Amino acid sequence: MIIKIDFSEEFIQYISCSTKVGRKMNSIQEDFLNWIFDEEKNTEYWALENGERIHPNYDANAIIDWLNNVRFKKGIAKAKLITSPQFIVKKKLYY
C-alpha cells in the first residue's frame, strides 16, 4: 500500500507498506506521536540547540523506523521510503 505523508504543502513523502499495516495507520498515528515526543524512548529524532534537545525533528524515515523497529518489530520490514509512487496512493496522513 502506498501512503502519502503530508508534513506541509512543501514537504510530502511516500512510504510503501503492507496493506495490513497501512490499514492501521490512522489508528496508530497517535502511538507514533507519543513515541516521537518521548525523549526517553526516542533519542534519534530530536533537534538540538546548544547540545540540548528542544523538539522532535522527523520525516517519513522516522515513521518507517518506528513501524519496522518499534511497533511491528517482529518479522520482516513492513515499510520503506519511496521517491515516486508507481501505484495509486491509498491513504493520506497529515503531520
Side-chain angles (χ1 to χ4, degrees):
M1 173 182 282
I2 306 297
I3 300 173
K4 177 181 176 180
I5 312 266
D6 189 340
F7 294 99
S8 71
E9 289 184 24
E10 298 174 11
F11 187 53
I12 295 172
Q13 291 182 299
Y14 300 90
I15 64 172
S16 173
C17 63
S18 71
T19 302
K20 186 175 182 177
V21 171
R23 286 184 184 144
K24 296 178 181 182
M25 288 300 290
N26 284 10
S27 64
I28 64 175
Q29 186 173 13
E30 186 175 335
D31 292 342
F32 168 76
L33 291 172
N34 289 337
W35 175 80
I36 200 76
F37 279 90
D38 187 332
E39 288 185 62
E40 293 178 14
K41 292 180 182 175
N42 163 34
T43 58
E44 184 177 347
Y45 301 103
W46 280 80
L48 300 176
E49 186 173 288
N50 299 323
E52 293 187 31
R53 295 181 194 153
I54 55 172
H55 60 78
N57 183 22
Y58 63 96
D59 61 6
N61 288 308
I63 297 167
I64 291 166
D65 182 29
W66 177 77
L67 285 170
N68 293 339
N69 301 309
V70 177
R71 181 65 187 218
F72 300 105
K73 61 184 170 188
K74 294 183 181 177
I76 60 172
K78 281 74 175 174
K80 64 181 179 180
L81 186 67
I82 55 175
T83 54
S84 54
Q86 300 297 317
F87 300 101
I88 297 171
V89 171
K90 295 286 187 176
K91 187 169 289 226
K92 297 176 186 173
L93 294 175
Y94 299 91
Y95 285 91

